[in-house]
Amino acid sequence: MRQESSTVQSRCDALDVAVLSALEVDARASFSRIGAVLGVSEQTVARRYRRLCAEGGLRVVAVRDAERLGQDQWMLRVRCAPDSAPVIADALAKRPDTHWIALASGGTEVVCGTRSHSPGDRDDLLLGRLPRTPSVVEIRAHQLLHRFFGGPTGWLRKFRALTDDQIAALRPGAEPDPGPARIDPEDEPLVAALEADGRATYPELRRATGRSESAVRRRLATLVASGALYLDVEYDPGHLGHPFSAALWITAAPAALHAVGEALADHDEIAYCTATAGPSNLMATTVTRDSAHLYRYLSALMMKTPTPASIGPVACPERLVGVLLDPVLGARRRCRRRPGDVLVDVAVRSPE
């Protein structure tokens, strides 16, 4: 990753980044294995892990990969009357098909991701409940079509903290013929336990599922190898000196859509990128050091992509508060975004 000049200081050193990067390769790797690959002791890795959990928001959780499972995914932007967004966000957060939600645009917009269990649930939300809510001014629904970057592919690999040999030493062995991506009803206790703690020990998983440790080990390996499940390493990018995040809603000409998506996926600043259906056809999340870094990136983006058309207004709210759902217990925890999180609209067209 290129080093950008900024007054924002990282609270992580090279070893911290290496430990986080190792977890992105294998989130369940033991401290002893990570230490052996990085050339430090098991105790050192354990201390760094505990400190990152306490200070950097580190946690490992299992995530059902909706794209691999063939499930319908939508991203909604709900513009609300002033002071009504928190109430609407709270109501949306209680729905079982909402898997993340946040406030944006100075508290006048709710942005959320939904995974409908059936077409009826989706239509009830998009065509029924939300449009009938008096304080909802506008709804923009973007169906997620194709992920270019993100999900099981973590942003930390763009730091290039590990060598190819280290990555190969950490990567779990390939599972022979894992079969199609699916989660069976009998897998639910195992998946639920991993959604609460992706590094739960095999004895803990045995107690949660009633299966033997060997059966749990085999089934977990199959779920991950098939793509039905991946282990997500969550952390605060501000701890790494990148506290400024932005959501880019991009419109590209159909002929350039795939090329633009692939190009964005390679950019160091891009943590997530997906093709969408709706008012725009690409959505990307950037993580930068500050607003000046974002400006430099957007300026370069316009030069790198085919014949830029325009950049919409940039909204910089003072603080955003999101609600992240616990998929296991239905509990909610507040996650505060940093000052300067933004929403950006970008349009890109192909050369004439």
Side-chain angles (χ1 to χ4, degrees):
M1 178 173 288
R2 300 183 307 275
Q3 294 300 314
E4 291 280 342
S5 60
S6 172
T7 58
V8 178
Q9 297 298 316
S10 171
R11 286 167 280 173
C12 292
D13 61 17
L15 180 56
D16 289 328
V17 176
V19 169
L20 289 170
S21 299
L23 290 169
E24 278 201 342
V25 177
D26 183 1
R28 290 183 59 84
S30 66
F31 295 150
S32 60
R33 183 160 159 239
I34 294 174
V37 170
L38 300 183
V40 297
S41 69
E42 175 182 357
Q43 292 75 17
T44 296
V45 175
R47 283 196 300 271
R48 294 301 181 103
Y49 179 87
R50 288 192 293 268
R51 191 181 74 185
L52 287 166
C53 289
E55 300 177 6
L58 171 62
R59 72 172 196 157
V60 176
V61 294
V63 177
R64 303 165 195 248
D65 194 333
E67 184 166 315
R68 295 293 298 272
L69 292 168
Q71 297 174 346
D72 207 17
Q73 297 182 88
W74 291 78
M75 189 174 297
L76 307 181
R77 297 176 65 180
V78 183
R79 192 156 61 89
C80 312
D83 301 326
S84 64
V87 176
I88 294 173
D90 193 59
L92 286 169
K94 294 175 182 177
R95 292 180 58 93
D97 52 357
T98 300
H99 63 96
W100 66 266
I101 189 165
L103 300 182
S105 302
T108 62
E109 184 172 336
V110 178
V111 183
C112 71
T114 70
R115 294 174 181 170
S116 300
H117 298 121
S118 70
D121 290 341
R122 177 199 62 206
D123 294 344
D124 174 61
L125 176 64
L126 297 181
L127 304 178
R129 295 180 182 274
L130 278 177
R132 290 198 302 266
T133 304
S135 52
V136 170
V137 177
E138 181 186 29
I139 304 170
R140 293 188 181 186
H142 306 255
Q143 186 176 16
L144 308 189
L145 302 177
H146 174 75
R147 183 175 58 218
F148 291 101
F149 189 81
T153 308
W155 177 65
L156 282 168
R157 68 184 56 195
K158 294 184 176 182
F159 277 76
R160 302 172 186 89
L162 303 178
T163 66
D164 290 343
D165 289 342
Q166 288 174 320
I167 293 172
L170 286 163
R171 184 172 289 126
E175 185 73 9
D177 189 22
R182 73 172 189 269
I183 297 176
D184 298 327
E186 56 267 29
D187 294 325
E188 289 297 334
L190 172 61
V191 174
L194 291 165
E195 285 174 329
D197 180 6
R199 287 183 62 85
T201 65
Y202 288 111
E204 289 171 334
L205 295 176
R206 174 182 59 79
R207 290 191 293 272
T209 62
R211 300 187 188 183
S212 67
E213 289 185 28
S214 59
V216 166
R217 190 185 299 268
R218 288 193 302 271
R219 188 55 186 156
L220 173 55
T222 298
L223 288 170
V224 172
S226 70
L229 204 69
Y230 65 89
L231 296 172
D232 189 38
V233 180
E234 296 183 353
Y235 53 88
D236 177 7
H239 204 69
L240 301 173
H242 290 71
F244 202 90
S245 60
L248 309 182
W249 305 88
I250 301 170
T251 302
L257 175 61
H258 191 78
V260 173
E262 292 283 355
L264 287 169
D266 287 337
H267 296 176
D268 287 346
E269 293 83 359
I270 295 294
Y272 179 78
C273 182
T274 182
T276 68
S280 62
N281 54 16
L282 281 167
M283 182 271 174
T285 301
T286 64
V287 184
T288 56
R289 291 187 175 275
D290 51 30
S291 58
H293 183 184
L294 176 64
Y295 172 77
R296 289 191 295 272
Y297 171 68
L298 290 176
S299 299
L301 173 65
M302 292 299 95
M303 290 187 289
K304 292 176 183 176
T305 50
T307 315
S310 64
I311 300 179
V314 179
C316 299
E318 294 181 359
R319 182 174 294 276
L320 304 183
V321 181
V323 180
L324 184 63
L325 299 183
D326 184 318
V328 185
L329 305 175
R332 291 172 294 151
R333 63 182 177 85
R334 294 282 174 178
C335 55
R336 293 192 176 273
R337 292 190 177 183
R338 279 77 47 197
D341 285 7
V342 300
L343 292 174
V344 185
D345 290 300
V346 181
V348 181
R349 67 170 182 266
S350 298
E352 300 295 337

